Amino acid sequence: MFSRVMFSRVLRSAVSIAHSFCSSSQSNTKVAVLGASGGIGQPLSLLLKKSPLVSQLSLYDVVHTLGVAADLSHIETRAQVTGYVGPEQLPEALKGSEVVLIPAGVPRKPGMTRDDLFDINASIVATLADACARNCPDAMLAVITNPVNSTVPIVSDILKKHGVYNSKRVFGVTTLDIVRANSFVAELTGLDPAQVNVPVVGGHAGKTIIPLLSQCTPKVEFTEDTLAALTHRIQEAGTEVVKAKAGAGSATLSMAYAGARFALSLLDAMNGKEGVKECAFVRSEEGECTYFSTPLLLGTNGVKRNLGLGKLSAFEEKLVAEASKELKASIRKGEDFVRQRATEGEPQ
């Protein structure tokens, strides 16, 4: 039998989840999920189906989307769900979309880095970005497909070639790094994870993931050894999941949660809610890299203001410096891919 304390904790958790994914306000917004049949796409679509901020949910993939759409359509929420299968139906899936989430691609397996996914996922993302440029050029694009450090520059450069690029509307979703940092800090300190907020800056792979634990709210203090170990765990948390799943996939459920959190924050801001902040990997003038994740103030047109890095500790300054070389190389890899694609006559 639950104790009163245990029941109170469960109740608080349920209220927190409901608050995150439900809202008293409604909007008429079409949201498209590209890669909706995959390990991330299905739970992501489920969480979006629950939100009154979504009136139309457009699901696209190369297989099984009609079944996923039929399944979700039986849930008694207002969002109308439509499934689209294959390249021929992609334009219709995108037309009228105001927000597009891209989790399409192959997952990591044990021994793989995010960069090992590049050759396959780069082509997938490029094809989808081209379709977005042609069919919903003004949509907010949230890129989940790894390696995000390279796929966001790919999306941006393809939109540029079409003349429809708006840096305020293209995001690399790094929210999972924040979610993990919040969870791990709460584990160590006994704080309620729903009340912890750790900004995570840089990129979305290994040492480019830089948790700003000195800026955590509420304030936390760690020894040097604990700080180093916690930072390393946050940076390698994805590998932790890949190893635990032993070949059965990568972080899908937590990534779906994080993707939905970012998408719903963006929708809130698009609907005029003030003070909405999320970290994301975007075109940036904060530091040496042309793309960088920092806290952002979101607004009706996407990025309202880049809030920058804030005051860093000496430990964090060192992490930023060490990440720059790898991050620049990943960005360049994405940009080179688009240039090579153009020379080979691929559609842009």
Side-chain angles (χ1 to χ4, degrees):
M1 182 179 294
F2 275 170
S3 68
R4 289 184 178 180
V5 172
M6 180 64 75
F7 179 78
S8 176
R9 287 177 180 170
V10 171
L11 183 59
R12 284 201 307 272
S13 177
V15 170
S16 176
I17 292 170
H19 179 73
S20 296
F21 293 106
C22 294
S23 169
S24 58
S25 63
Q26 293 188 351
S27 66
N28 293 311
T29 306
K30 179 178 179 179
V31 177
V33 179
L34 308 184
S37 297
I40 297 170
Q42 290 199 43
L44 172 60
S45 299
L46 171 62
L47 292 170
L48 294 172
K49 178 71 170 79
K50 291 181 63 180
S51 174
L53 295 171
V54 180
S55 59
Q56 296 180 66
L57 188 56
S58 177
L59 307 183
Y60 171 81
D61 214 320
V62 293
V63 292
H64 307 313
T65 334
L66 299 181
V68 175
D71 195 359
L72 289 177
S73 71
H74 294 178
I75 296 172
E76 82 274 56
T77 57
R78 70 186 291 256
Q80 295 183 336
V81 185
T82 309
Y84 300 89
V85 183
E88 301 81 9
Q89 296 186 10
L90 179 55
E92 190 61 31
L94 289 170
K95 285 176 183 175
S97 296
E98 294 165 79
V99 175
V100 179
L101 299 163
I102 307 179
V106 297
R108 276 203 296 160
K109 295 181 180 178
M112 293 177 70
T113 67
R114 290 175 178 86
D115 276 343
D116 292 331
L117 304 175
F118 181 85
D119 290 340
I120 298 173
N121 287 353
S123 294
I124 293 171
V125 168
T127 298
L128 297 175
D130 180 78
C132 290
R134 295 175 187 275
N135 296 284
C136 55
D138 296 324
M140 307 283 184
L141 303 187
V143 183
I144 294 170
T145 306
N146 275 316
V148 164
N149 294 354
S150 298
T151 54
V152 170
I154 288 173
V155 170
S156 298
D157 279 10
I158 287 179
L159 295 178
K160 288 175 189 176
K161 289 182 179 296
H162 284 275
V164 296
Y165 177 60
N166 183 339
S167 63
K168 298 182 184 301
R169 291 172 173 260
V170 179
F171 306 88
V173 179
T174 62
T175 315
L176 181 52
D177 299 325
I178 291 89
V179 167
R180 286 167 168 163
N182 294 346
S183 296
F184 299 165
V185 166
E187 285 177 18
L188 284 174
T189 61
L191 292 167
D192 179 352
Q195 303 303 317
V196 176
N197 182 39
V198 180
V200 181
V201 303
H204 186 55
K207 68 180 182 181
T208 70
I209 299 169
I210 305 166
L212 301 184
L213 293 162
S214 70
Q215 297 180 26
C216 176
T217 52
K219 184 75 173 174
V220 292
E221 297 286 346
F222 299 109
T223 65
E224 287 186 12
D225 287 346
T226 301
L227 180 62
L230 176 57
T231 297
H232 181 74
R233 187 186 178 198
I234 294 166
Q235 292 175 332
E236 296 299 326
T239 301
E240 183 179 312
V241 175
V242 169
K243 288 180 177 179
K245 288 193 174 182
S250 57
T252 53
L253 299 175
S254 55
M255 184 63 249
Y257 169 88
R261 170 180 146 167
F262 180 81
L264 297 178
S265 290
L266 185 56
L267 286 168
D268 269 336
M270 290 168 65
N271 285 317
K273 184 175 179 179
E274 297 289 337
V276 179
K277 299 175 185 177
E278 290 284 357
C279 293
F281 187 67
V282 297
R283 184 79 183 182
S284 177
E285 296 180 357
E286 298 291 330
E288 302 176 17
C289 301
T290 51
Y291 295 85
F292 206 81
S293 180
T294 47
L296 307 170
L297 179 64
L298 301 176
T300 54
N301 294 307
V303 178
K304 186 173 183 179
R305 187 166 76 252
N306 192 320
L307 300 176
L309 290 168
K311 182 175 174 54
L312 304 180
S313 68
F315 177 71
E316 292 159 357
E317 287 178 347
K318 183 180 177 182
L319 293 177
V320 170
E322 290 174 346
S324 294
K325 183 178 179 180
E326 180 177 322
L327 192 50
K328 286 178 183 178
S330 296
I331 293 167
R332 186 165 55 250
K333 189 172 184 177
E335 293 171 339
D336 288 346
F337 175 84
V338 176
R339 281 192 286 269
Q340 182 64 29
R341 181 180 167 92
T343 62
E344 294 174 353
E346 294 286 342
Q348 300 297 326

